Amino acid sequence: MQVSSSAKDSNYSPLLLASALLIIVPLGAGILRVLLNLSMSASFATCVCAVFAVAALYFSIRRVNFSRTEFSISAVLAAVLCVVFYARMYHPLFYGLPSVGGGDAGNHVYWSRVFLTSDARIYHGLIYFYSMSYLVSFLGLDSSFADFRAAYYLTSFLFFILLAVVIVRALPKRTPARWLAYTALTAGLLLMPLERIVFPIFHYLQADGFYPQVASLSLLMLIAACYAVLRERRWRVFAVLGGMLLYRYSYALNLGDLILASSLILAGEARALDGALRFGLSLIALAAAAVAAYVYSRLLTVFGLEGSVIELAQATLMQGELAMYFGLAAAVYALLKQPERCGELIRLLIFSIFFGLAAFAFKFLYLFFSAESSYYLQKYSYHSLVLTTCCAVTAAAVLLPTLPPALKQRRFLQVCALTAFGTTSLYGMWAVSTALQPIRVSYEARAGRLRASSLTKLVDKNVWSEITETLARNRKKFGGFITPSWPQSNFTNASFGLYGELPLYKTGSVLIEPGHCVFWMSDQISLQEYKSGASEKLMKTVAELSSAAQAKHVYYTDPISGIERRLSHLCVE
């Protein structure tokens, strides 16, 4: 049974369209709010109406078709990837969102609220994750923690759904059975890279509070998927141009890399055109390169900023990256020699190579001239690593079965290309996996659902319940929460409306004023942790609160350590 040609040639993929809508609609609404200062509800309604109007017009004037076989295989693969991801990431003792000690999650709680209520341009307009948090708020969840958890898992699932779409579309599909066999091979080859590279990156970016960075991986995969899957050049060009705009509002750290990669892609697309179209697209590509240079210059102004981050061995990491890019280039050469058309996979690999090399070149030049690591440098490669790893595995599934025929037919250059791809990709993944060991320690504890010192709570549900009930019972405002845990301090205080960041955490600058209730951890373990690192002002505040006659105490058992904890509160009349 052959796969029908009309199905094979269709640009239309229901999963791709649904994923694109789930990304573009909330992000488009956020962009409208940033640009026009509309309310988020008005922006969202406008974007929904616009998208559905365009979709209705397009489907009314153009007949579309899709392969049910492709849809079924893609849906099954997407479901498997999402289930495996959820099973490895959801640690029930941490309610699905553990922390490795960073406090950025609390910052994003505050900035998300500010974006929705007052300042649309907060956080430089990087509002993709905040827009997704707004989208999941329609589910009626009960807290900012629940919204963040839903937004994190939703954007992660979207990444793996898009990855499944790209994999299935890029694989050889002469018959449904062969298509399914290649998909199963790809899924099998993915298991180890996912466990050693991709999942640890998704884990770490969430656990250290870098929510916009991990969420924007889904947008990056959408751009790569559209460029790979769309067969008409005009739609590919529109996808690349639109992707640059959308990525600007998701996460700016790798924006220069995407724009530079897009300029190279547009220049390549222009070569296949003639006359004015070729000149115009070449001009756009040149302008994009100039914009990339400007973005890099702006990035340099903040690249030296300090922050808390788990450091990686950059030399080993960069060796692995370079080996993987060389391997992908060899894969492209091998694919060009294949008798079957592999246009989707070749475009996917080219996108990954250009994006990854742009990131590698910037990081290399920065280290060459400064010779200093930095906060943003340590975070810089995560996007390109995830994309490159997934692309390399997909290419391996297609090229691995072609090695025996190439050896049998003594095609020397083909065998050399396949050998180069295999050896460099394996070495690259090994080097990258080795460099990622510092973040994989906490990932393995999370995936194994262990009680480990490498993981800590982002929220304490017992504390949250007591704060909520106390404020409602006494009809008071939240005056602050003092705890020796930095992640809990920033996230809890920001969630209940008091954004004090490090000063509040270090000094205990809570609002002990009429009409407010103040909360603090007062068990012996917490008191010892205060003494080991707290300021004199914080210790004085805790002592004053504890000595108040009106202070009340609640005891509960920590489900992780099994130790009895005490939460105290004081409501000022």
Side-chain angles (χ1 to χ4, degrees), residues 536-552:
E536 183 178 341
K537 183 178 179 181
L538 186 144
M539 293 301 300
K540 182 178 179 181
T541 300
V542 170
E544 291 177 354
L545 290 170
S546 300
S547 62
Q550 300 89 346
K552 297 182 179 181

PDB file of all heavy atoms in Angstrom, residues 536-552:
ATOM      1  N   GLU A 536      21.695  40.661  60.838  1.00  0.00           N
ATOM      2  CA  GLU A 536      21.317  41.015  62.210  1.00  0.00           C
ATOM      3  C   GLU A 536      19.899  41.580  62.253  1.00  0.00           C
ATOM      4  O   GLU A 536      19.138  41.313  63.180  1.00  0.00           O
ATOM      5  CB  GLU A 536      22.302  42.048  62.753  1.00  0.00           C
ATOM      6  CG  GLU A 536      22.047  42.443  64.193  1.00  0.00           C
ATOM      7  CD  GLU A 536      23.070  43.430  64.726  1.00  0.00           C
ATOM      8  OE1 GLU A 536      24.167  43.526  64.126  1.00  0.00           O
ATOM      9  OE2 GLU A 536      22.767  44.107  65.730  1.00  0.00           O
ATOM     10  N   LYS A 537      19.528  42.309  61.198  1.00  0.00           N
ATOM     11  CA  LYS A 537      18.193  42.892  61.144  1.00  0.00           C
ATOM     12  C   LYS A 537      17.125  41.816  61.057  1.00  0.00           C
ATOM     13  O   LYS A 537      16.087  41.892  61.720  1.00  0.00           O
ATOM     14  CB  LYS A 537      18.077  43.837  59.942  1.00  0.00           C
ATOM     15  CG  LYS A 537      16.730  44.539  59.845  1.00  0.00           C
ATOM     16  CD  LYS A 537      16.675  45.505  58.669  1.00  0.00           C
ATOM     17  CE  LYS A 537      15.316  46.182  58.584  1.00  0.00           C
ATOM     18  NZ  LYS A 537      15.236  47.114  57.423  1.00  0.00           N
ATOM     19  N   LEU A 538      17.365  40.792  60.250  1.00  0.00           N
ATOM     20  CA  LEU A 538      16.386  39.711  60.131  1.00  0.00           C
ATOM     21  C   LEU A 538      16.242  38.980  61.461  1.00  0.00           C
ATOM     22  O   LEU A 538      15.126  38.659  61.888  1.00  0.00           O
ATOM     23  CB  LEU A 538      16.792  38.735  59.023  1.00  0.00           C
ATOM     24  CG  LEU A 538      15.785  37.629  58.705  1.00  0.00           C
ATOM     25  CD1 LEU A 538      15.761  37.319  57.217  1.00  0.00           C
ATOM     26  CD2 LEU A 538      16.075  36.350  59.488  1.00  0.00           C
ATOM     27  N   MET A 539      17.369  38.692  62.136  1.00  0.00           N
ATOM     28  CA  MET A 539      17.306  37.990  63.410  1.00  0.00           C
ATOM     29  C   MET A 539      16.536  38.812  64.439  1.00  0.00           C
ATOM     30  O   MET A 539      15.763  38.257  65.240  1.00  0.00           O
ATOM     31  CB  MET A 539      18.717  37.693  63.901  1.00  0.00           C
ATOM     32  CG  MET A 539      19.490  36.685  63.052  1.00  0.00           C
ATOM     33  SD  MET A 539      18.657  35.080  62.962  1.00  0.00           S
ATOM     34  CE  MET A 539      18.604  34.615  64.684  1.00  0.00           C
ATOM     35  N   LYS A 540      16.724  40.114  64.412  1.00  0.00           N
ATOM     36  CA  LYS A 540      16.007  40.987  65.335  1.00  0.00           C
ATOM     37  C   LYS A 540      14.506  40.968  65.049  1.00  0.00           C
ATOM     38  O   LYS A 540      13.678  40.915  65.975  1.00  0.00           O
ATOM     39  CB  LYS A 540      16.550  42.409  65.226  1.00  0.00           C
ATOM     40  CG  LYS A 540      15.909  43.391  66.187  1.00  0.00           C
ATOM     41  CD  LYS A 540      16.525  44.772  66.056  1.00  0.00           C
ATOM     42  CE  LYS A 540      15.864  45.760  67.014  1.00  0.00           C
ATOM     43  NZ  LYS A 540      16.444  47.120  66.864  1.00  0.00           N
ATOM     44  N   THR A 541      14.148  40.975  63.739  1.00  0.00           N
ATOM     45  CA  THR A 541      12.731  40.939  63.356  1.00  0.00           C
ATOM     46  C   THR A 541      12.085  39.637  63.802  1.00  0.00           C
ATOM     47  O   THR A 541      10.979  39.632  64.356  1.00  0.00           O
ATOM     48  CB  THR A 541      12.588  41.098  61.831  1.00  0.00           C
ATOM     49  OG1 THR A 541      13.152  42.338  61.422  1.00  0.00           O
ATOM     50  CG2 THR A 541      11.127  41.049  61.417  1.00  0.00           C
ATOM     51  N   VAL A 542      12.763  38.516  63.578  1.00  0.00           N
ATOM     52  CA  VAL A 542      12.226  37.215  63.976  1.00  0.00           C
ATOM     53  C   VAL A 542      12.062  37.149  65.501  1.00  0.00           C
ATOM     54  O   VAL A 542      11.049  36.635  66.004  1.00  0.00           O
ATOM     55  CB  VAL A 542      13.137  36.074  63.478  1.00  0.00           C
ATOM     56  CG1 VAL A 542      12.725  34.741  64.093  1.00  0.00           C
ATOM     57  CG2 VAL A 542      13.099  35.989  61.965  1.00  0.00           C
ATOM     58  N   ALA A 543      13.025  37.693  66.224  1.00  0.00           N
ATOM     59  CA  ALA A 543      12.937  37.683  67.692  1.00  0.00           C
ATOM     60  C   ALA A 543      11.755  38.519  68.174  1.00  0.00           C
ATOM     61  O   ALA A 543      11.021  38.116  69.088  1.00  0.00           O
ATOM     62  CB  ALA A 543      14.245  38.191  68.286  1.00  0.00           C
ATOM     63  N   GLU A 544      11.557  39.680  67.577  1.00  0.00           N
ATOM     64  CA  GLU A 544      10.440  40.543  67.972  1.00  0.00           C
ATOM     65  C   GLU A 544       9.099  39.891  67.666  1.00  0.00           C
ATOM     66  O   GLU A 544       8.164  39.941  68.470  1.00  0.00           O
ATOM     67  CB  GLU A 544      10.545  41.892  67.254  1.00  0.00           C
ATOM     68  CG  GLU A 544      11.708  42.746  67.729  1.00  0.00           C
ATOM     69  CD  GLU A 544      11.825  44.047  66.939  1.00  0.00           C
ATOM     70  OE1 GLU A 544      11.056  44.204  65.966  1.00  0.00           O
ATOM     71  OE2 GLU A 544      12.665  44.889  67.302  1.00  0.00           O
ATOM     72  N   LEU A 545       8.995  39.274  66.498  1.00  0.00           N
ATOM     73  CA  LEU A 545       7.744  38.605  66.134  1.00  0.00           C
ATOM     74  C   LEU A 545       7.463  37.436  67.066  1.00  0.00           C
ATOM     75  O   LEU A 545       6.328  37.238  67.522  1.00  0.00           O
ATOM     76  CB  LEU A 545       7.822  38.121  64.683  1.00  0.00           C
ATOM     77  CG  LEU A 545       7.802  39.197  63.594  1.00  0.00           C
ATOM     78  CD1 LEU A 545       8.129  38.581  62.235  1.00  0.00           C
ATOM     79  CD2 LEU A 545       6.436  39.880  63.535  1.00  0.00           C
ATOM     80  N   SER A 546       8.478  36.655  67.383  1.00  0.00           N
ATOM     81  CA  SER A 546       8.285  35.458  68.212  1.00  0.00           C
ATOM     82  C   SER A 546       7.913  35.809  69.642  1.00  0.00           C
ATOM     83  O   SER A 546       7.252  35.026  70.334  1.00  0.00           O
ATOM     84  CB  SER A 546       9.563  34.607  68.197  1.00  0.00           C
ATOM     85  OG  SER A 546       9.884  34.190  66.884  1.00  0.00           O
ATOM     86  N   SER A 547       8.356  36.978  70.094  1.00  0.00           N
ATOM     87  CA  SER A 547       8.075  37.373  71.481  1.00  0.00           C
ATOM     88  C   SER A 547       6.714  38.042  71.633  1.00  0.00           C
ATOM     89  O   SER A 547       6.276  38.311  72.759  1.00  0.00           O
ATOM     90  CB  SER A 547       9.162  38.332  71.979  1.00  0.00           C
ATOM     91  OG  SER A 547       9.178  39.527  71.199  1.00  0.00           O
ATOM     92  N   ALA A 548       6.044  38.312  70.522  1.00  0.00           N
ATOM     93  CA  ALA A 548       4.736  38.970  70.594  1.00  0.00           C
ATOM     94  C   ALA A 548       3.713  38.026  71.233  1.00  0.00           C
ATOM     95  O   ALA A 548       3.636  36.840  70.882  1.00  0.00           O
ATOM     96  CB  ALA A 548       4.275  39.387  69.207  1.00  0.00           C
ATOM     97  N   ALA A 549       2.925  38.572  72.135  1.00  0.00           N
ATOM     98  CA  ALA A 549       1.938  37.746  72.849  1.00  0.00           C
ATOM     99  C   ALA A 549       0.841  37.252  71.914  1.00  0.00           C
ATOM    100  O   ALA A 549       0.247  36.192  72.149  1.00  0.00           O
ATOM    101  CB  ALA A 549       1.327  38.562  73.986  1.00  0.00           C
ATOM    102  N   GLN A 550       0.562  38.011  70.857  1.00  0.00           N
ATOM    103  CA  GLN A 550      -0.528  37.638  69.948  1.00  0.00           C
ATOM    104  C   GLN A 550      -0.091  36.637  68.878  1.00  0.00           C
ATOM    105  O   GLN A 550      -0.903  36.213  68.051  1.00  0.00           O
ATOM    106  CB  GLN A 550      -1.076  38.887  69.236  1.00  0.00           C
ATOM    107  CG  GLN A 550      -1.627  39.946  70.178  1.00  0.00           C
ATOM    108  CD  GLN A 550      -0.537  40.936  70.613  1.00  0.00           C
ATOM    109  OE1 GLN A 550       0.666  40.693  70.424  1.00  0.00           O
ATOM    110  NE2 GLN A 550      -0.972  42.044  71.197  1.00  0.00           N
ATOM    111  N   ALA A 551       1.191  36.268  68.856  1.00  0.00           N
ATOM    112  CA  ALA A 551       1.682  35.337  67.844  1.00  0.00           C
ATOM    113  C   ALA A 551       1.043  33.964  68.018  1.00  0.00           C
ATOM    114  O   ALA A 551       0.889  33.466  69.132  1.00  0.00           O
ATOM    115  CB  ALA A 551       3.195  35.226  67.927  1.00  0.00           C
ATOM    116  N   LYS A 552       0.658  33.364  66.894  1.00  0.00           N
ATOM    117  CA  LYS A 552       0.048  32.038  66.911  1.00  0.00           C
ATOM    118  C   LYS A 552       0.900  31.078  66.082  1.00  0.00           C
ATOM    119  O   LYS A 552       1.605  31.506  65.156  1.00  0.00           O
ATOM    120  CB  LYS A 552      -1.368  32.101  66.364  1.00  0.00           C
ATOM    121  CG  LYS A 552      -2.294  32.971  67.224  1.00  0.00           C
ATOM    122  CD  LYS A 552      -3.710  32.986  66.691  1.00  0.00           C
ATOM    123  CE  LYS A 552      -4.609  33.851  67.579  1.00  0.00           C
ATOM    124  NZ  LYS A 552      -6.017  33.873  67.088  1.00  0.00           N
TER     125      LYS A 552
END
